[in-house]
Amino acid sequence: MPWEGSGRFCGTIAEWGGVILLGVEDMMLLGAFLGVADSFFTGSAFAGVLVSILAGGVVGWLYALFCIKWKAHQSVVGVGVNLFASGITAVLLKAIWHTEGMSDPVNAISGITVPILSDIPIIGALFKNQSPYLYVMFAIVAAVWILFYKTKFELHYRAIGNQPHAVQTAGLTVNIFGGWQPLGSLGAGMVFAVAQAARFYLTDFVIPSQLVQMMPYIIIPLILLFVGKKAKGPEALGKLVD
């Protein structure tokens, strides 16, 4: 769940600023792969996390370089990132572990149990032996929500994604990196993650495996039919100014 929520959250932030972040999933794939590979070779889970962060940052910087500085078509760059990441990880997986689809087990950061909160009925499971990344994701969502809704920064940043020429006229630099809500993005990621996880718990039922695998991609469009009508994206999404 942290990865699904974080990916959609990053996409929301980028699109608020007018950039179509089409390659976010494969940026995460490449970062995750390099982190696993580093943990495999060094035996350190923390080193793997650091490499994942650095790799994601480098790919994001390259994406911004192509889209913002060189003004390449954002959707084309996103497709290029997706093709490169999915291809190179498959090749390196075969080269390192001589297998397809999954690496050998590597050292991972242990789950965290929060005392007292973990004993609360129903929601206590959220605080029992959970990945620390889950809590980091919640903290980031809270911090960005405060930044975008309780400070003046939000006005400038969201104006870039809606009226970049007006922002430029006001003397501000338009350096564009949005549903389109922090909590909405978190909720969408959680729904998708739950739908993904449900596939593993439905294997014992008499349901065609193909239908089970399609669940996440059926549930999300159905939700969008009801909530997507009210969502309004940035008006200058994908349009850069000189």
Side-chain angles (χ1 to χ4, degrees):
M1 184 174 72
W3 310 124
E4 297 292 348
S6 299
R8 280 151 183 77
F9 189 56
C10 290
T12 295
I13 295 175
E15 292 183 0
W16 266 346
V19 170
I20 302 172
L21 195 59
L22 190 61
V24 62
E25 291 86 357
D26 285 275
M27 290 182 190
M28 295 166 60
L29 171 63
L30 187 58
F33 176 85
L34 294 176
V36 169
D38 183 81
S39 181
F40 175 74
F41 288 117
T42 65
S44 171
F46 289 99
V49 172
L50 180 60
V51 168
S52 290
I53 295 172
L54 290 175
V58 169
V59 177
W61 176 77
L62 289 173
Y63 191 95
L65 189 65
F66 275 93
C67 294
I68 300 174
K69 184 175 179 61
W70 295 333
K71 294 181 171 54
H73 195 288
Q74 297 170 18
S75 296
V76 174
V77 176
V79 171
V81 171
N82 289 343
L83 292 175
F84 172 77
S86 58
I88 194 67
T89 51
V91 171
L92 292 178
L93 179 66
K94 186 73 173 180
I96 298 173
W97 288 286
H98 309 289
T99 186
E100 297 179 0
M102 184 177 297
S103 70
D104 292 346
V106 299
N107 292 330
I109 296 179
S110 302
I112 296 176
T113 296
V114 181
I116 302 176
L117 294 179
S118 60
D119 297 327
I120 300 176
I122 304 177
I123 65 171
L126 285 173
F127 305 97
K128 184 177 296 182
N129 196 30
Q130 291 288 350
S131 167
Y133 307 123
L134 178 66
Y135 306 119
V136 171
M137 180 188 69
F138 287 148
I140 292 175
V141 170
V144 173
W145 185 87
I146 293 173
L147 178 66
F148 277 90
Y149 288 97
K150 300 298 180 181
T151 68
K152 293 182 179 179
F153 174 81
E154 178 257 349
L155 296 175
H156 296 159
Y157 188 82
R158 298 190 69 167
I160 291 173
N162 285 286
Q163 299 293 337
H165 292 286
V167 174
Q168 199 172 47
T169 302
L172 298 175
T173 301
V174 178
N175 185 17
I176 304 178
F177 291 158
W180 287 280
Q181 303 292 333
L183 298 181
S185 298
L186 175 63
M190 293 177 67
V191 169
F192 190 84
V194 169
Q196 288 273 37
R199 297 185 304 171
F200 300 101
Y201 294 93
L202 295 175
T203 55
D204 295 334
F205 293 88
V206 186
I207 303 175
S209 60
Q210 295 86 351
L211 181 60
V212 173
Q213 293 175 3
M214 290 170 57
M215 278 188 56
Y217 308 98
I218 295 175
I219 293 174
I220 296 301
L222 289 176
I223 294 177
L224 288 176
L225 286 175
F226 297 97
V227 303
K229 297 178 180 179
K230 298 181 180 180
K232 183 178 182 297
E235 295 181 6
L237 182 60
K239 302 176 182 177
L240 297 181
V241 299
D242 296 325

